[in-house]
Amino acid sequence: MTDPDHIWTEAANRLRAEIGDGPFSSYIAPSAVRADGAGQLILVTPTAYARDWVRKNALRRMNELWLGLDGLNRRLDVRCRAEMGSVAPASQVAAGRAEGAAVVAAPIPMPTVAPVADGERAVRAAGLQDRLTFDSFVEGQGNAFALAIARQAAAWADGHFNPIFFCGPYGYGKTHLLNAIAWEAQRLRPDAKVVYLTAERFLSTFVRAMQDRSTAAFKESLRSADMLLIDDVQFVGGKASTQEELLATLTCLIEDGKKIVLSADRPPMALTEIEPRLRSHLASGLTCPVEPADRQLKLAVARNRLQALARLGVVSGEVQADVLEHLVDRTPGSMRELEGAVNTLAAVAGTRLSTLGVDETQGLLGSALRGGPERRITVDEIQKTVADHFSLKQADLLSERRTRAVARPRQIAMWLCKQHTTRSYPDIGRRFGGRDHTTVLHGVRKVEELIAADDQIARDVETLTRKLRG
């Protein structure tokens, strides 16, 4: 037997039986045999990672099988596609072709498990949303730094930070930033493999790959990415095998100089449900906070959403400023909740948007808004809730006492005021016994540090937030 096509098909089938379907489908099936200019037969793999795997784990056995079938006693080498250029179609192959002509065997089709394939259509299927782009992202004081870093990542700029880790409360733009990065990165480099996954999809696909015994294909689909984005990574916590796989994937991509972008609801070192080695890797690059929006940013987001709905023909006319302010003030939750309230207003108002007043808006929306002023979280409510939680009196938080038993709850209360009210630092200071705004700023930053470093503080803040939200 001398025809490389026939030899490769037979040798590959035997190799598949020996190494199993998973490794074969990941590293061997997508490869092809060709000859270089000197007549050397080369197994051409799609990626450098696959080339290295074949060279380490399969090349010697592959040559043993090949030599047992090839009457011309030829040997195989292995190179990746980037080293060889494009592969000629198998139809151009003929046994005995002149030296230097391409010799290619069609890859054997095998089932593969991949979180996402290449190309815009596959990227859409992976969960990206068309409207979550940089053009639709509204910049404000709390997200300006995160937005600048996101644009830098999307532009494939050479940076010293990998991975980039966006963190912050749910509903304030982390998913929007990851979507925008993916869309822009793919636009700027259409040939690059940009993989976007939610942590939930990462988990489900990995579990399915283990059940199908195709984990090697799963690994290759991620480790061949030029950019990997994983949203809500906190949800991999508590699952040892998944954390191990994520750690191995991140290590491989970082070593290969590929870009990694992640997000979670807390900084890496505050993800106590994730094992320490993985936390350390997550924190090894740049941790970029996405802070809760202030009132001005919420107004801008609400206005931007109404303009987008107007372009779609859902509403017409300009909303009155006091109506928009009423809507924002009655929706003190996340940006997602605010967008939901805006959508409700648009659906109810339609062409009447510009004629609606505050009273009519409240009457039309009713319970769709989170109630009147009595439902809003106030500084007084926060002080009472914090004092009760720490077995103090509300007056203690306003006093001059500086013992840790009082100072720490006071700082937590200040932090909660900044998160859940529209009060400024000076205003919060006045409500805490006439303190200077720099004292409030110090307290807020201190609590942010403690949330990341102290599990008990993190639990206290979470409990208090749940109580305040009812």
Side-chain angles (χ1 to χ4, degrees):
M1 185 185 298
T2 59
D3 182 4
D5 282 358
H6 295 156
I7 296 172
W8 172 240
T9 300
E10 180 64 25
N13 281 330
R14 294 184 187 183
L15 187 65
R16 177 175 61 186
E18 292 181 12
I19 68 174
D21 287 345
F24 185 88
S25 65
S26 296
Y27 306 111
I28 310 300
S31 305
V33 175
R34 59 175 292 179
D36 64 11
Q40 169 70 48
L41 291 179
I42 308 293
L43 179 69
V44 182
T45 62
T47 65
Y49 181 81
R51 175 203 62 198
D52 295 343
W53 187 94
V54 170
R55 184 171 289 154
K56 180 180 179 181
N57 299 284
L59 185 59
R60 186 176 69 174
R61 180 54 180 159
M62 195 180 298
N63 268 302
E64 291 174 354
L65 294 170
W66 186 279
L67 290 170
L69 296 166
D70 184 13
L72 299 179
N73 208 32
R74 294 168 292 190
R75 297 184 67 85
L76 282 174
D77 194 6
V78 59
R79 299 178 200 169
C80 67
R81 189 171 297 158
E83 296 171 314
M84 294 292 294
S86 59
V87 177
S91 60
Q92 295 180 6
V93 179
R97 182 170 293 187
E99 184 176 308
V103 180
V104 183
I108 299 172
M110 288 291 297
T112 60
V113 177
V116 63
D118 298 326
E120 183 174 310
R121 180 182 302 173
V123 169
R124 288 175 188 268
L128 291 181
Q129 301 178 53
D130 287 349
R131 69 184 186 88
L132 299 184
T133 65
F134 284 126
D135 288 341
S136 61
F137 191 87
V138 181
E139 182 177 357
Q141 184 175 353
N143 62 29
F145 176 64
L147 178 59
I149 295 299
R151 289 188 182 278
Q152 183 180 9
W156 299 94
D158 291 333
H160 302 289
F161 309 113
N162 201 27
I164 294 171
F165 194 101
F166 294 102
C167 61
Y170 75 94
Y172 284 98
K174 301 186 303 296
T175 296
H176 194 146
L177 286 175
L178 263 65
N179 273 251
I181 292 170
W183 285 123
E184 183 68 3
Q186 194 74 75
R187 184 187 71 81
L188 293 175
R189 282 184 52 184
D191 59 328
K193 184 175 182 180
V194 178
V195 177
Y196 169 88
L197 291 169
T198 62
E200 181 183 7
R201 193 157 188 257
F202 177 88
L203 284 167
S204 62
T205 309
F206 180 60
V207 170
R208 189 167 66 249
M210 288 195 296
Q211 293 171 344
D212 296 342
R213 297 183 179 179
S214 55
T215 53
F218 173 84
K219 293 176 181 180
E220 174 63 15
S221 69
L222 293 184
R223 297 178 192 184
S224 61
D226 297 295
M227 178 183 289
L228 174 65
L229 306 99
I230 301 181
D231 200 7
D232 287 326
V233 76
Q234 72 270 9
F235 291 125
V236 304
K239 303 166 182 68
S241 60
T242 309
Q243 292 185 58
E244 183 178 337
E245 175 55 32
L246 179 57
L247 176 60
T249 297
L250 297 182
T251 301
C252 178
L253 290 174
I254 290 172
E255 288 177 351
D256 287 347
K258 307 301 184 182
K259 293 189 177 294
I260 302 168
V261 184
L262 307 157
S263 79
D265 60 354
R266 284 157 286 159
M269 300 313 292
L271 300 174
T272 54
E273 65 274 29
I274 289 178
E275 64 100 12
R277 281 193 310 152
L278 179 54
R279 285 207 308 266
S280 178
H281 272 70
L282 297 177
S284 64
L286 173 65
T287 298
C288 187
V290 181
E291 299 177 358
D294 58 20
R295 188 169 186 264
Q296 291 305 311
L297 179 55
K298 288 186 174 183
L299 286 168
V301 168
R303 191 174 294 109
N304 186 68
R305 181 60 181 158
L306 281 172
Q307 290 170 353
L309 292 171
R311 289 192 294 270
L312 294 172
V314 178
V315 294
S316 60
E318 290 287 332
V319 65
Q320 295 183 34
D322 55 347
V323 170
L324 199 63
E325 291 172 1
H326 176 81
L327 190 69
V328 167
D329 291 341
R330 298 301 181 272
T331 315
S334 71
M335 302 297 254
R336 290 196 185 104
E337 294 174 45
L338 177 59
E339 284 202 350
V342 173
N343 292 339
T344 303
L345 175 64
V348 171
T351 59
R352 300 176 52 222
L353 181 64
S354 60
T355 65
L356 287 181
V358 172
D359 292 341
E360 188 177 5
T361 298
Q362 182 64 43
L364 286 172
L365 297 182
S367 59
L369 296 181
R370 296 182 63 179
E374 71 278 5
R375 293 291 304 279
R376 296 173 59 190
I377 299 174
T378 65
V379 173
D380 184 67
E381 182 184 357
I382 290 171
Q383 290 174 344
K384 290 178 179 177
T385 303
V386 171
D388 181 67
H389 180 79
F390 289 101
S391 300
L392 299 170
K393 297 179 180 178
Q394 185 176 357
D396 291 332
L397 301 180
L398 280 60
S399 71
E400 293 297 321
R401 294 175 59 189
R402 297 184 179 180
T403 60
R404 181 178 292 272
V406 175
R408 190 69 76 226
R410 181 187 294 129
Q411 290 175 330
I412 291 174
M414 290 175 176
W415 184 88
L416 290 167
C417 287
K418 192 58 185 172
Q419 300 298 310
H420 299 290
T421 76
T422 58
R423 302 286 183 178
S424 64
Y425 285 116
D427 196 9
I428 294 172
R430 285 192 291 270
R431 300 294 297 274
F432 280 81
R435 284 174 164 79
D436 186 79
H437 76 280
T438 57
T439 302
V440 180
L441 179 60
H442 170 75
V444 169
R445 289 178 175 173
K446 184 63 178 178
V447 172
E448 288 174 349
E449 293 174 4
L450 290 171
I451 289 173
D454 189 316
D455 291 348
Q456 183 58 54
I457 294 294
R459 285 193 292 270
D460 286 333
V461 168
E462 183 179 356
T463 299
L464 287 163
T465 299
R466 284 202 303 269
K467 288 180 179 178
L468 290 168
R469 289 177 174 171

